[in-house]
Amino acid sequence: MAILSEVAETISLDGGRKSRGNLTKARIRWVIVALVLVFGTVGGRLIQLGATVTDSTIEGVARDVITASRPPILDRNGLEMAVDIRVPSLFAEPRRIVDVEEAVQKLRTVLPDLNEDWLRNRLTGDKGFVWVKRELTPAIQERIYQLGIPGLEFVTESKRFYPSGKEASHILGAVNIDNQGTMGIEKHMDDDSLAVLQSIGIARDTDLTPVSLSVDLRVQHVMYEQLQDALVRYKAVAAAGVMMDVKTGEIVALASLPDFDPNNPSTLFQDYNGVKNDRFNRITSGIYELGSTFKTVTLAGALDSGKVRITDEFDARFAVRFGRFTIDDFHGKHRVLSVPEVFKYSSNIGTIKIMQELGKDEFRDFLTKIGMDRTVPFELPEMRKPKVPDKFSEIVAATSSFGHGLSVSPLHMVRAVAAFVNDGYMVPPTMYKRDEAEARQLYEPVISPSTSAEIRYLLRLNAIGAGGSGSRMNKIANGYRVGGKTGTAEKVVNGRYASNVNFNVFASAFPLDKPRYAMVIIVDEPKAENEQTGVTAGWNAGEVTGRIVQRVAPMLGIAPDFGEMLDQNLVPVELR
């Protein structure tokens, strides 16, 4: 019995041990299940967060595009005109924000300009990355970091900065918030190749090769300053100018006022002295009746045809009639005039008769030859096609000979004047640096060298001769051998020409003994500076030209010469 009792006790102990062992195993299994669930949850969340972090877009825009750089833009002397600045931009991931209301209130202590309702809506929901505020300062970035709000992050992107501000706004253009060009050279660069580099990430955090323009910032500053002065001095509604190297086609300066601040794109839509549309580039996009500056074109075509010689004379005693229309001279001499006198005294009658000697169809063909009836090939995207009738009637040919009845841009005119003084060779204008050897490959002869010499003589004569419309300009720029032609065009108001509202132009070139630069200045609706002055182009556009040349000629290496007013080498042999 003792033995049986001992065996029973042993069996009982073994059963207890087995029971406790089964319980332990069950507990272990439950712990393992719990751990699997915990780690599974954590792992799933990590996978979710990992997918979020690798999201490469913000509001559908790839980060490579957002962080893309633009190359620096330099003037011809290496001065910076446009550069990139790296700035922090704030974005949010709403699904990671724990307390939206707290986030809204905290953020507005640093960014009070953010609308509370807009911000609350922005931070609410399960959206992906959304912008909160772009282009902040490092100081603001640090203050936001100190708020400790989860779900807010920064990305470093490029902001365009223009050191010269407004001075070259119509050349450079502007970029949008995504640093993409919207106008000017900035847009041309994007259209050309930069956008491709940005889209594939090559233009990200990379020192891109600088883009060198043909512009001389020293000359640009002077032109801009003088055009600003013209707005005030002559109470004009607008003013603009362009200077071109006649040998290379390089645009040395180009400005149009009113303008805008490319560092503050919102100014694109603000008024300027009551004038809207500051983006409007009057040099490339504006087409105008350029008045008597067009007489230079008419005489160039007529003299080059051989049908008119510089020694010829034309009867300007009586007005010219076309049906019920009569065309006369402004302060006419009403006598027989030589070709140089027709130009110097700006005779409409004499110019019409010179054009008639050439022939209206031949005159129209000459306009095609020099590109007046088509858009000028040029890098700036803000261009407009000129308005030149396909065929000329007798009266349209007559009015066109002195710059009425057709509309072209100042860029058309500066290119033509450059060709007329450059031995007759026309070269396409460009905003990029181009040497003379390269330019010569693009030369297109439009008049002969002998005709070019005669045009140089006429331009200079108009500046120094008694009664010449460029005499006021020459007094200011004395010594720099400038020549030019005025244009005073009556503007159309309510469908009719208004005699008291003018669009004034001065087309010039210098130094005419060795031509290097051509320039066109416009002053829109000028008023008399004082009671002793007038409102025709010589009083305003001409004087602006003189002041610009006086200041920039030394910068461009042109020394003054106070010798003979008219270099005898400029005088055609027939007139010596």
Side-chain angles (χ1 to χ4, degrees), residues 9-314:
E9 185 179 349
T10 302
I11 293 171
S12 176
L13 289 171
D14 288 343
R17 291 192 187 99
K18 288 180 179 179
S19 176
R20 286 195 297 272
N22 290 337
L23 180 60
T24 301
K25 289 179 180 178
R27 287 173 176 172
I28 291 172
R29 281 196 295 269
W30 281 112
V31 169
I32 291 172
V33 170
L35 288 173
V36 168
L37 289 175
V38 170
F39 282 109
T41 302
V42 173
R45 183 58 173 161
L46 287 174
I47 291 171
Q48 182 184 19
L49 289 175
T52 300
V53 171
T54 57
D55 188 350
S56 62
T57 67
I58 300 178
E59 295 192 14
V61 180
R63 292 203 191 192
D64 283 350
V65 174
I66 293 170
T67 60
S69 301
R70 301 182 68 82
I73 300 177
L74 311 178
D75 88 328
R76 64 184 305 107
N77 300 311
L79 297 178
E80 290 181 336
M81 299 182 71
V83 294
D84 270 3
I85 299 174
R86 305 298 284 174
V87 294
S89 289
L90 176 65
F91 66 93
E93 186 186 0
R95 55 186 167 226
R96 289 181 53 208
I97 295 178
V98 178
D99 189 331
V100 172
E101 193 60 35
E102 180 187 31
V104 169
Q105 298 306 320
K106 282 186 174 181
L107 260 181
R108 292 192 73 248
T109 63
V110 180
L111 301 172
D113 58 316
L114 294 182
N115 179 273
E116 185 172 337
D117 292 335
W118 176 88
L119 183 58
R120 185 178 294 108
N121 180 66
R122 202 77 169 151
L123 303 183
T124 301
D126 196 35
K127 299 185 286 289
F129 291 149
V130 295
W131 288 117
V132 177
K133 183 77 171 179
R134 299 177 72 175
E135 298 183 351
L136 300 171
T137 65
I140 293 294
Q141 179 185 30
E142 181 59 30
R143 289 179 61 189
I144 293 173
Y145 270 138
Q146 291 175 0
L147 296 176
I149 303 173
L152 295 183
E153 297 292 343
F154 289 90
V155 63
T156 300
E157 58 180 333
S158 295
K159 178 181 180 180
R160 205 60 160 164
F161 176 66
Y162 303 91
S164 56
K166 294 182 177 183
E167 287 193 359
S169 57
H170 283 97
I171 294 173
L172 297 169
V175 297
N176 60 20
I177 191 69
D178 293 316
N179 216 27
Q180 298 166 336
T182 59
M183 59 185 292
I185 282 293
E186 295 280 27
K187 186 175 191 309
H188 176 263
M189 286 164 50
D190 280 12
D191 293 344
D192 193 25
S193 61
L194 182 61
V196 176
L197 297 178
Q198 291 176 332
S199 66
I200 62 178
I202 293 177
R204 181 184 62 186
D205 295 328
T206 302
D207 291 330
L208 298 174
T209 302
V211 174
S212 294
L213 299 186
S214 57
V215 177
D216 187 323
L217 269 181
R218 302 170 304 169
V219 179
Q220 180 73 19
H221 172 75
V222 172
M223 178 177 285
Y224 183 83
E225 187 177 70
Q226 290 304 319
L227 293 174
Q228 281 187 312
D229 177 73
L231 290 180
V232 177
R233 186 190 296 256
Y234 308 116
K235 301 178 179 64
V237 299
V242 58
M243 184 184 296
M244 174 177 166
D245 186 317
V246 306
K247 300 291 185 186
T248 66
E250 295 171 299
I251 298 300
V252 181
L254 185 156
S256 177
L257 298 175
D259 56 0
F260 62 94
D261 184 357
N263 290 316
N264 183 12
S266 63
T267 62
L268 287 171
F269 307 101
Q270 293 178 0
D271 289 1
Y272 185 99
N273 289 344
V275 179
K276 295 182 183 295
N277 202 3
D278 295 350
R279 294 181 299 172
F280 185 57
N281 187 336
R282 287 165 173 77
I283 296 299
T284 61
S285 302
I287 57 172
Y288 311 98
E289 294 182 336
L290 294 181
S292 291
T293 58
F294 224 82
K295 290 171 182 172
T296 312
V297 174
T298 304
L299 266 66
L303 290 169
D304 200 61
S305 72
K307 295 181 178 180
V308 175
R309 295 181 301 173
I310 200 160
T311 54
D312 288 347
E313 295 182 336
F314 293 87

Side-chain angles (χ1 to χ4, degrees), residues 507-520:
S508 62
F510 68 99
L512 282 175
D513 52 341
K514 292 181 180 179
R516 189 72 207 199
Y517 301 99
M519 180 164 58
V520 171

Side-chain angles (χ1 to χ4, degrees), residues 244-424:
M244 174 177 166
D245 186 317
V246 306
K247 300 291 185 186
T248 66
E250 295 171 299
I251 298 300
V252 181
L254 185 156
S256 177
L257 298 175
D259 56 0
F260 62 94
D261 184 357
N263 290 316
N264 183 12
S266 63
T267 62
L268 287 171
F269 307 101
Q270 293 178 0
D271 289 1
Y272 185 99
N273 289 344
V275 179
K276 295 182 183 295
N277 202 3
D278 295 350
R279 294 181 299 172
F280 185 57
N281 187 336
R282 287 165 173 77
I283 296 299
T284 61
S285 302
I287 57 172
Y288 311 98
E289 294 182 336
L290 294 181
S292 291
T293 58
F294 224 82
K295 290 171 182 172
T296 312
V297 174
T298 304
L299 266 66
L303 290 169
D304 200 61
S305 72
K307 295 181 178 180
V308 175
R309 295 181 301 173
I310 200 160
T311 54
D312 288 347
E313 295 182 336
F314 293 87
D315 189 353
R317 290 177 296 170
F318 309 107
V320 181
R321 292 188 61 85
F322 294 93
R324 60 188 181 90
F325 298 102
T326 301
I327 300 175
D328 205 345
D329 285 343
F330 181 73
H331 296 323
K333 299 298 179 182
H334 297 109
R335 62 175 174 82
V336 174
L337 300 175
S338 66
V339 169
E341 287 178 322
V342 168
F343 192 78
K344 182 174 70 170
Y345 298 134
S346 200
S347 170
N348 296 334
I349 300 169
T351 303
I352 291 172
K353 294 193 172 182
I354 288 173
M355 181 278 300
Q356 290 173 333
E357 194 70 25
L358 168 64
K360 66 180 179 66
D361 294 333
E362 289 79 0
F363 177 47
R364 179 61 184 82
D365 290 342
F366 183 67
L367 298 187
T368 295
K369 185 177 183 180
I370 62 174
M372 285 289 184
D373 56 0
R374 56 191 180 274
T375 305
V376 177
F378 197 49
E379 293 88 5
L380 295 186
E382 296 78 30
M383 304 293 290
R384 188 176 171 192
K385 186 178 180 180
K387 291 183 178 180
V388 179
D390 292 334
K391 291 187 177 181
F392 279 169
S393 64
E394 292 293 341
I395 189 168
V396 170
T399 58
S400 296
S401 72
F402 56 86
H404 285 73
L406 77 176
S407 299
V408 300
S409 71
L411 188 64
H412 281 91
M413 181 57 70
V414 77
R415 180 181 64 161
V417 171
F420 294 160
V421 301
N422 185 37
D423 286 335

